[in-house]
């Protein structure tokens, strides 16, 4: 069993660049407006068998090499396991700390504040120094993206900002902006009415821009897909 290799960027959207190898994914700068790099791949193996063998409960189950090695798998499942381990090692070799997870829904309670701040809300990743986010979905529903020109920060919506000011209990000044940052309110986005959500696809390895001081490009807006009843668990690599 394989995953599709085709990835087509949203029409007319030039912030995504497709590369032909892992080496190009590492070497290509996020610059000149490009804030997402995709290495499209057709992956061999049965990742659904890996998910089934895990017998994971609800929530997020971290996977390390020992957990994967103990699974009893067919030839196709074993091939998928080796792909997972190889990708994880690729990122370790870059000095990153990748996390491989089986995501079977989220156990966090629904948020009731003015802004959702969970991973299923469109957001950007942020850092205090130069950094990128790497990710790949092997099974289940893939991550989703939102064009920068089709999104607005939720804190810039007048009604939402007014609600946040009420929650803060102060004036719209520097201290309020610190409050927004400390609670991650300022990294979440709302799609504009005409927005078209795009799909990261299965099997493709991505490197996307984060928000950090003096970044040359805007961060890539993305989210974990909404959890719907009956959907299969996701296998996700992220760093």
């Amino acid at each position: 069993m394989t995953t599709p290799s085709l990835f087509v960027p949203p029409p007319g959207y030039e912030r995504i660049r497709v590369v032909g190898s892992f080496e190009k994914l590492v070497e290509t700068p996020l610059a000149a407006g490009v804030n997402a790099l995709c290495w499209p791949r057709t992956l061999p193996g049965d990742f659904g068998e890996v998910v089934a063998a895990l017998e994971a409960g609800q929530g997020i189950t971290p996977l390390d090499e020992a957990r994967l090695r103990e699974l009893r798998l067919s030839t196709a499942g074993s091939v998928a396991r080796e792909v997972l381990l190889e990708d994880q090692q690729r990122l370790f070799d870059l000095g990153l700390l990748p996390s491989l997870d089986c995501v079977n829904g989220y156990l966090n309670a629904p948020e009731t504040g003015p802004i959702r701040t969970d991973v299923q809300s469109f957001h950007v990743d942020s850092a205090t120094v130069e950094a990128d986010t790497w990710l790949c979905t092997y099974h289940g529903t893939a991550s989703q993206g939102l064009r920068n020109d089709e999104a607005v920060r939720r804190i810039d919506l007048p009604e939402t900002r007014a609600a946040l000011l009420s929650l803060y209990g102060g004036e719209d000044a520097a201290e309020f902006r610190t409050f927004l940052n400390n609670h991650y309110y300022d990294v979440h986005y709302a799609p504009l009415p005409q927005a078209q959500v795009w799909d990261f696809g299965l099997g493709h390895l991505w490197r996307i821009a984060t928000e950090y001081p003096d970044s040359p490009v805007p961060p890539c807006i993305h989210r974990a897909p909404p959890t719907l009843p009956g959907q299969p668990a996701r296998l996700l690599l992220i760093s």
Side-chain angles (χ1 to χ4, degrees):
M1 182 178 297
T2 60
T3 58
S5 62
L6 180 65
F7 173 76
V8 179
Y13 193 52
E14 298 181 352
R15 293 199 183 279
I16 300 172
R17 181 174 175 183
V18 174
V19 298
S21 67
F22 180 72
E23 290 71 26
K24 289 294 185 182
L25 193 64
V26 174
E27 297 169 357
T28 303
L30 291 167
V34 174
N35 67 2
L37 300 171
C38 173
W39 175 30
R41 307 181 295 175
T42 297
L43 298 180
D46 189 342
F47 295 92
E49 182 185 348
V50 175
V51 170
L54 286 169
E55 297 182 341
Q58 285 291 113
I60 300 175
T61 302
L63 306 177
D64 58 16
E65 182 174 0
R67 179 75 184 273
L68 287 170
R69 291 293 185 198
E70 70 184 12
L71 299 178
R72 300 186 63 180
L73 301 170
S74 69
T75 299
S78 297
V79 168
R81 171 171 54 198
E82 293 307 313
V83 170
L84 296 172
L85 293 172
E86 181 181 12
D87 276 355
Q88 195 173 35
Q89 189 60 51
R90 279 188 170 112
L91 300 192
F92 278 130
D93 290 344
L94 293 178
L96 303 174
L97 296 174
S99 174
L100 181 62
D101 300 308
C102 178
V103 182
N104 191 19
Y106 296 90
L107 300 180
N108 51 302
E111 298 190 43
T112 57
I115 293 181
R116 287 181 61 178
T117 56
D118 60 89
V119 295
Q120 292 183 287
S121 165
F122 279 114
H123 65 281
V124 299
D125 298 331
S126 63
T128 57
V129 297
E130 182 177 353
D132 306 321
T133 294
W134 297 71
L135 72 161
C136 178
T137 307
Y138 303 92
H139 185 264
T141 308
S143 301
Q144 297 176 332
L146 191 62
R147 293 171 56 135
N148 293 80
D149 58 348
E150 294 183 348
V152 60
R153 287 195 309 174
R154 291 190 178 274
I155 64 169
D156 295 328
L157 296 171
E159 290 185 1
T160 302
R161 196 172 190 88
L164 289 166
L165 272 169
S166 177
L167 178 66
Y168 172 64
E171 298 181 351
D172 194 342
E175 292 80 3
F176 176 59
R177 291 188 285 276
T178 299
F179 164 80
L180 296 177
N181 181 261
N182 288 342
H183 290 82
Y184 305 103
Y185 291 137
D186 57 350
V187 296
H188 287 264
Y189 286 72
L192 295 174
Q194 77 279 12
Q196 297 289 322
V197 175
W198 56 272
D199 197 304
F200 279 64
L202 293 177
H204 313 322
L205 186 58
W206 288 81
R207 179 177 148 228
I208 64 175
T210 66
E211 185 173 85
Y212 63 86
D214 300 320
S215 172
V217 294
C220 180
I221 304 170
H222 61 288
R223 72 175 178 185
T227 301
L228 301 175
Q231 285 188 334
R234 304 175 70 211
L235 272 182
L236 176 71
L237 178 69
I238 190 164
S239 176

